[in-house]
Amino acid sequence: MILSGDFNTNFAEDDKNQLLIEFLNNEFGLTMSNDRNLSTTKYKTTIDAVFIRHLNRFESKLFVSYFSYHKPIVSVLEIGDDDAGNDDGERVVEIMYES
């Protein structure tokens, strides 16, 4: 399961938003994939987040945006080899790190 979006709450503020993180973990088994200490907006707040459950090879990274005050969060789920021997997950990871 993947839950992502603009939560309009600053996850970098420890006390205030820890309750939401704990609620999502306790009620739905979701853990935050992106680093809550890295700002997701140009105003140095972390209001965008990706929460996941039961995904082992999943990674979220921030990118720069010149068109929005939000920094896009790009997430990669490695899916492994297909029947033809192609590793689609590896290709996606390569694209992510080509910058």
Side-chain angles (χ1 to χ4, degrees), residues 1 4 11 14 26 29-31 39 45 53 64 71 73 76 78 83 98:
M1 173 187 277
S4 67
F11 290 104
D14 290 331
N26 294 337
L30 294 166
T31 57
S39 67
T45 58
R53 178 177 69 187
V64 176
K71 297 175 187 174
I73 300 176
V76 174
E78 292 185 47
D83 293 336
E98 285 179 355

Side-chain angles (χ1 to χ4, degrees), residues 28-79:
F28 304 105
L30 294 166
T31 57
M32 193 170 185
S33 174
N34 56 303
D35 186 345
R36 63 186 270 178
N37 296 311
L38 295 177
S39 67
T40 61
T41 68
K42 292 181 181 178
Y43 302 113
K44 306 294 183 208
T45 58
T46 307
I47 61 175
D48 305 291
V50 178
F51 291 88
I52 61 171
R53 178 177 69 187
H54 302 303
L55 297 173
N56 296 327
R57 299 185 322 171
F58 189 90
E59 183 179 9
S60 296
K61 294 272 188 180
L62 294 175
F63 281 108
V64 176
S65 172
Y66 299 104
F67 307 105
S68 173
Y69 66 90
H70 291 266
K71 297 175 187 174
I73 300 176
V74 175
S75 298
V76 174
L77 173 61
E78 292 185 47
I79 54 175

